[in-house]
Amino acid sequence: MNAEKIPDIIITRLPVYLRALQRMADHGIKTTSSQELGEHVGISAAQIRKDISQFGEFGKQGTGYSIPYLLDKLREILKVDRLWDVIIVGAGDMGHALARYQGFTDRGFNVLMIFDNDQTKIGQKIGDLIVEDTTNLVEKVQSSGVKIAMLTIPDTAAQETTDKLVQAGVKAILNYAPISLNVPASVKVQYIDPATHLQQMTYYL
Amino acid sequence: MNAEKIPDIIITRLPVYLRALQRMADHGIKTTSSQELGEHVGISAAQIRKDISQFGEFGKQGTGYSIPYLLDKLREILKVDRLWDVIIVGAGDMGHALARYQGFTDRGFNVLMIFDNDQTKIGQKIGDLIVEDTTNLVEKVQSSGVKIAMLTIPDTAAQETTDKLVQAGVKAILNYAPISLNVPASVKVQYIDPATHLQQMTYYL
């Protein structure tokens, strides 16, 4: 397996396969086919076979894929066979929702800290976390070695905070602020913006 | 312009251009180039020129794109030159965050109703909305003619609720439940799942 050669578009689909396979496993299903997996995720069987074959020969002719084996391999490829610490910057509605979200741990992520610059929020308890002062962001991120951040602050503060996160060693940012971020090539950004997602559908209505 | 022929992948990028152009307009900027826009959104100038040219000749050689004109055209193409009513199903943390989100109206969306099946939540006030009983979902959606829904309920209830939404005439679903939904080909689904987005980045770490 040569990590450099896998197209980004395939990497975006692997977590979707992983989620569907995990769901099958939760229902006690042990094997599946590209056809069946395709029906679950809305992607063609041919595409799934092609995507998965990039990483080796996982399927057996006639018997399909072993779900536990494929789960292990996908987790290993995506590096979620471990638990990544993640921080949240912004303790507003969205930050609260993420801090209390139960779906991270099973999928490789542990929310370690949450930050805000609002004095009325600092010290508040959200689930098991206590909101920390953004003033200490760089220092706390550096000393904990956390590499992943979720950004749920207003767009006006997003670039400045991103610069601090990058300076502190963060390499992956999930950005909920409705603005494109400038980061060095070594830093990954994913965007979650509900209005953008809605606009990607109205075209077809 | 022939709507049938525009590849889906281009449609996914247009809202990102729209957002960046709106931001420039908010700063009083009147014209831009594919180069400049590309730097804002992290997409190559050549790709931007190609994407935008699908819809006609918007740029002028030497003077670039007129931002107000391009904004109007993009809004028209994406059909967000009007205000779409949207409902939220699920008044948990995420439903709350979406119901109180201020960024929809400027971008073509009006949150009309929010539903939950939890008796302790029904009747609660969230911003200007009052949580309604999911029992009335189909009837309310049909009588209001709303075509777009955001789904923020547990994955175990997501498919059943989706079937009801489709039955009631919903044509576009923004799904926050971590599960792939089965819908007829005439219904669009977009997915927001933070763990999936995080897993799309860990591969590169």
Side-chain angles (χ1 to χ4, degrees):
Chain A
M1 161 174 126
N2 184 336
E4 299 309 311
K5 285 187 180 175
I6 307 294
D8 291 347
I9 186 71
I10 295 184
I11 298 303
T12 66
R13 288 191 288 263
L14 297 185
V16 178
Y17 301 158
L18 177 57
R19 187 176 66 187
L21 290 163
Q22 182 57 59
R23 204 175 162 74
M24 292 186 206
D26 292 344
H27 284 83
I29 304 169
K30 303 276 188 225
T31 59
T32 189
S33 62
S34 52
Q35 184 69 37
E36 185 182 49
L37 180 55
E39 284 165 15
H40 280 289
V41 297
I43 295 172
S44 76
Q47 184 69 65
I48 287 173
R49 283 194 299 274
K50 202 174 153 198
D51 286 354
I52 290 176
S53 70
Q54 295 266 342
F55 303 97
E57 285 300 323
F58 295 132
K60 286 187 196 127
Q61 196 71 34
T63 62
Y65 299 111
S66 154
I67 291 178
Y69 183 73
L70 196 50
L71 278 174
D72 280 350
K73 281 291 163 187
L74 283 173
R75 287 200 191 102
E76 186 187 322
I77 291 162
L78 293 171
K79 300 185 192 164
V80 290
D81 52 354
R82 65 210 78 173
L83 205 56
W84 293 88
D85 284 330
V86 179
I87 61 160
I88 299 170
V89 187
D93 283 331
M94 193 60 68
H96 265 80
L98 288 172
R100 292 154 53 122
Y101 182 58
Q102 299 297 311
F104 285 129
T105 318
D106 285 351
R107 297 172 69 192
F109 304 98
N110 170 52
V111 179
L112 184 69
M113 298 182 279
I114 180 166
F115 293 89
D116 206 289
N117 64 1
D118 180 344
Q119 293 299 323
T120 66
K121 289 180 183 160
I122 294 164
Q124 260 190 17
K125 208 162 181 289
I126 305 177
D128 295 333
L129 302 170
I130 293 191
V131 179
E132 305 193 41
D133 190 336
T134 310
T135 310
N136 306 321
L137 181 64
V138 170
E139 182 200 325
K140 291 264 186 175
V141 167
Q142 281 175 334
S143 64
S144 64
V146 64
K147 297 289 173 221
I148 307 175
M150 297 192 280
L151 208 56
T152 64
I153 59 178
D155 55 355
T156 46
Q159 184 61 52
E160 188 191 345
T161 303
T162 296
D163 294 343
K164 282 186 192 162
L165 290 170
V166 170
Q167 179 201 337
V170 164
K171 295 291 180 195
I173 297 172
L174 181 54
N175 178 31
Y176 282 77
I179 177 177
S180 298
L181 299 175
N182 293 314
V183 293
S186 61
V187 177
K188 287 274 164 187
V189 181
Q190 288 269 333
Y191 294 91
I192 289 186
D193 174 3
T196 294
H197 284 281
L198 292 173
Q199 290 180 341
Q200 287 166 342
M201 298 192 286
T202 46
Y203 171 80
Y204 302 96
L205 295 184
Chain B
M1 161 174 126
N2 185 336
E4 298 309 311
K5 286 187 179 172
I6 308 294
D8 291 348
I9 186 70
I10 295 183
I11 298 302
T12 65
R13 287 191 289 261
L14 297 186
V16 178
Y17 302 158
L18 178 56
R19 188 177 64 188
L21 289 163
Q22 181 59 59
R23 205 176 162 74
M24 290 186 207
D26 292 345
H27 284 84
I29 304 168
K30 302 277 187 226
T31 59
T32 189
S33 62
S34 51
Q35 184 70 36
E36 186 183 49
L37 180 56
E39 283 164 15
H40 279 290
V41 298
I43 295 172
S44 76
Q47 184 69 65
I48 288 174
R49 282 195 299 274
K50 202 175 152 197
D51 286 354
I52 290 176
S53 70
Q54 295 266 342
F55 303 97
E57 285 301 324
F58 296 131
K60 286 186 195 129
Q61 197 69 36
T63 62
Y65 300 111
S66 154
I67 291 177
Y69 183 74
L70 196 50
L71 278 174
D72 280 350
K73 282 291 163 189
L74 283 172
R75 288 199 190 104
E76 187 187 320
I77 290 161
L78 293 170
K79 300 185 193 164
V80 289
D81 51 355
R82 63 210 79 173
L83 205 57
W84 294 88
D85 283 332
V86 179
I87 61 161
I88 298 170
V89 188
D93 283 331
M94 193 58 70
H96 265 80
L98 288 173
R100 290 154 55 121
Y101 182 60
Q102 300 296 311
F104 286 129
T105 318
D106 284 352
R107 296 172 68 193
F109 304 99
N110 169 53
V111 178
L112 186 68
M113 297 182 279
I114 181 165
F115 294 88
D116 206 290
N117 64 1
D118 180 342
Q119 293 299 323
T120 65
K121 288 179 185 162
I122 295 164
Q124 260 189 15
K125 209 161 181 288
I126 307 178
D128 295 334
L129 302 170
I130 293 188
V131 179
E132 305 194 41
D133 190 337
T134 311
T135 311
N136 307 321
L137 180 65
V138 171
E139 184 200 325
K140 292 264 186 176
V141 168
Q142 281 175 334
S143 64
S144 65
V146 66
K147 297 290 173 221
I148 306 175
M150 296 191 280
L151 210 55
T152 63
I153 59 179
D155 55 355
T156 46
Q159 184 61 52
E160 189 191 345
T161 304
T162 297
D163 295 344
K164 283 186 191 164
L165 290 170
V166 170
Q167 179 201 337
V170 164
K171 295 291 180 195
I173 297 171
L174 181 55
N175 178 30
Y176 282 78
I179 176 178
S180 297
L181 300 174
N182 293 314
V183 293
S186 61
V187 177
K188 287 275 162 186
V189 182
Q190 288 267 333
Y191 295 92
I192 288 185
D193 174 2
T196 293
H197 284 280
L198 291 175
Q199 289 179 342
Q200 286 165 343
M201 297 191 286
T202 46
Y203 172 78
Y204 301 96
L205 295 184

